Amino acid sequence: SDADANSATEPNTLRTPIVAVLGHVDHGKTTLLDKIRGSAVSEGEAGAITQHIGATAVPLETVSEMAGSLVDPDDFDLPGLLFIDTPGHHSFTTLRSRGGALADIAIVVVDVNDGFQPQTIEALDILRRTGTPFVVAANKIDTTPGWNPQEGSPIQKTYDAQSQNASQRLDSNLYEIIGNLSDEGFSADLYWRVQNFQKNVGVVPISAITSEGIPDLLAVLMGLSQRYMKEQMEIDVSGPGAGTVLEVKDERGFGTTLDVVLYDGTVSEDDTIVVGGMDGPIVTDVRALLQPRPNAEIRTEKRFDKVESVTAASGIKIAAPDLELAMAGAPIRVVRDRNLDEVIAEVEAELAEIEVDTEEEG
Ligand code: GDP
């Protein structure tokens, strides 16, 4: 048919890479995410950010404004970065997509003074197992004794402003982290020395408080995604949506809803969806697609805006009947023109995998 011919020639669109933040408790995951959200907001104009359900989208222009000369938007055709809001590897392990990790790329946050801790090693184990590329953010460089903070500066500029004593102290902490990575089987180096990010892990010194090094971190994430993940980011935007359930929540006026990260295709109002549930796949119809309302006051009734459809990658709240037994971490699929039984079988197969994983982890 004509429709088929069109979709066959329609070029695929590149979606936003999904970024997760992992690391030991108190090493600065939440502060880093808040800083990225906050400074993106204060950059104002260009594209700012969009607050999604469970995620924050930072468009390429905003990444470039935050990263200054380190990110020239003309060098990239990926649309930006989508940060999953819930940090920590507990959420990461349960968030899968078609058997792999939901996140395309990860940031492992390590406190430069505290160094490797049990949850740092756990995070690396998970990333190794899922084959997820990552960078290490060596955080809290501003706590180095004698540090002379350079608010928002790229790391080289910050180094230039430090006493020899302070930079040497930082360097010795950074090399300790590089050594620890090597003990875990990852060949690593300071990111500006890394030639091939597929072979070597880049370590980016940052402060989530003073924003030093955050331009570099964003530049490395964009560069890595553009260089090594472009093919993986090619999606058929008009295809039936595929996503992962982050949370199952009751919302006044909507009943049970799903917070979902969509990583492929589109979901629209009235679409039939199949969702993983405690008693097996649930087949239902989308009643409403909800986005957080910008600047909504806490006490106002209307915390959400309805949208007609959403395209990957994005975070969205889905209201539909019969979601009471839906599970966090479960797959969600739009049926559209596909065979319902096939989609159910697909969801069933993924559910079985999740159960095996949970058993393995005890
Ligand atoms: P999480 O448990 O990994 O999410 O860690 P948090 O983001 O909650 O940070 C733990 C503590 O470290 C908080 O008191 C933060 O203010 C502090 N912190 C985080 N990043 C930095 C940093 O870059 N510099 C300094 N000085 N403190 C930081």
Side-chain angles (χ1 to χ4, degrees):
S1 73
D2 277 0
D4 286 340
N6 282 340
S7 60
T9 53
E10 202 176 290
N12 282 346
T13 305
L14 295 172
R15 73 160 167 84
T16 317
I18 300 168
V19 186
V21 180
L22 315 186
H24 195 72
V25 64
D26 281 346
H27 280 195
K29 300 176 293 293
T30 311
T31 310
L32 174 62
L33 277 165
D34 284 349
K35 182 59 97 176
I36 289 171
R37 279 190 292 254
S39 45
V41 168
S42 64
E43 289 294 342
E45 306 262 333
I49 57 157
T50 346
Q51 198 64 45
H52 288 215
I53 294 287
T56 302
V58 186
L60 177 60
E61 307 91 89
T62 309
V63 171
S64 164
E65 278 182 40
M66 290 165 71
S69 60
L70 296 183
V71 173
D72 178 351
D74 294 340
D75 293 341
F76 298 94
D77 45 17
L78 292 175
L81 299 166
L82 186 80
F83 291 88
I84 297 179
D85 284 343
T86 324
H89 54 267
H90 181 71
S91 62
F92 186 90
T93 39
T94 53
L95 299 180
R96 329 166 97 253
S97 68
R98 295 199 179 112
L102 173 63
D104 302 299
I105 187 164
I107 303 171
V108 177
V109 178
V110 183
D111 181 327
V112 271
N113 297 301
D114 208 18
F116 265 44
Q117 294 298 330
Q119 288 169 295
T120 316
I121 294 169
E122 273 175 42
L124 294 174
D125 286 342
I126 294 163
L127 296 170
R128 185 188 294 115
R129 204 169 67 215
T130 54
T132 309
F134 64 95
V135 294
V136 170
N139 190 32
K140 308 197 189 184
I141 61 170
D142 60 294
T143 61
T144 307
W147 195 254
N148 175 17
Q150 305 293 305
E151 188 82 28
S153 276
I155 197 66
Q156 289 308 338
K157 211 173 139 213
T158 297
Y159 259 111
D160 290 345
Q162 305 308 321
S163 67
Q164 206 184 8
N165 208 341
S167 13
Q168 277 172 359
R169 278 175 196 251
L170 175 58
D171 282 345
S172 87
N173 283 340
L174 292 172
Y175 279 109
E176 184 147 347
I177 291 174
I178 290 168
N180 288 332
L181 281 162
S182 159
D183 294 342
E184 293 301 314
F186 295 102
S187 153
D189 209 338
L190 298 168
Y191 92 86
W192 56 89
R193 301 214 176 127
V194 173
Q195 303 279 339
N196 182 341
F197 281 90
Q198 269 178 320
K199 290 198 180 134
N200 296 296
V201 173
V203 175
V204 187
I206 67 156
S207 164
I209 296 281
T210 67
S211 298
E212 293 163 279
I214 289 187
D216 307 66
L217 180 63
L218 293 169
V220 172
L221 291 171
M222 275 314 294
L224 254 175
S225 317
Q226 176 78 23
R227 184 102 188 252
Y228 302 111
M229 271 172 249
K230 228 176 111 170
E231 272 173 36
Q232 211 180 309
M233 295 302 106
E234 281 178 8
I235 59 161
D236 172 12
V237 273
S238 57
T244 302
V245 177
L246 296 182
E247 274 189 82
V248 182
K249 277 191 199 161
D250 279 325
E251 297 287 355
R252 194 140 43 107
F254 297 103
T256 308
T257 65
L258 306 178
D259 289 359
V260 168
V261 169
L262 194 72
Y263 59 79
D264 199 0
T266 297
V267 56
S268 303
E269 251 178 0
D270 301 327
D271 265 337
T272 298
I273 52 173
V274 181
V275 187
M278 288 171 219
D279 288 345
I282 301 163
V283 181
T284 183
D285 291 335
V286 175
R287 187 187 286 150
L289 295 171
L290 306 165
Q291 292 279 26
R293 166 168 287 208
N295 311 317
E297 282 173 40
I298 294 173
R299 290 184 152 276
T300 57
E301 287 284 297
K302 287 200 167 178
R303 289 164 53 214
F304 304 108
D305 282 327
K306 280 192 190 187
V307 291
E308 271 174 33
S309 78
V310 184
T311 296
S314 48
I316 186 77
K317 184 183 280 294
I318 297 179
D322 305 325
L323 293 176
E324 289 73 19
L325 293 180
M327 291 194 304
I332 171 165
R333 294 280 183 283
V334 170
V335 178
R336 198 86 45 82
D337 48 9
R338 300 184 60 199
N339 176 294
L340 178 62
D341 289 336
E342 262 172 42
V343 180
I344 291 175
E346 214 176 273
V347 169
E348 245 163 12
E350 284 195 31
L351 279 175
E353 262 181 60
I354 293 172
E355 274 147 26
V356 169
D357 263 22
T358 321
E359 278 160 25
E360 275 172 1
E361 276 163 33

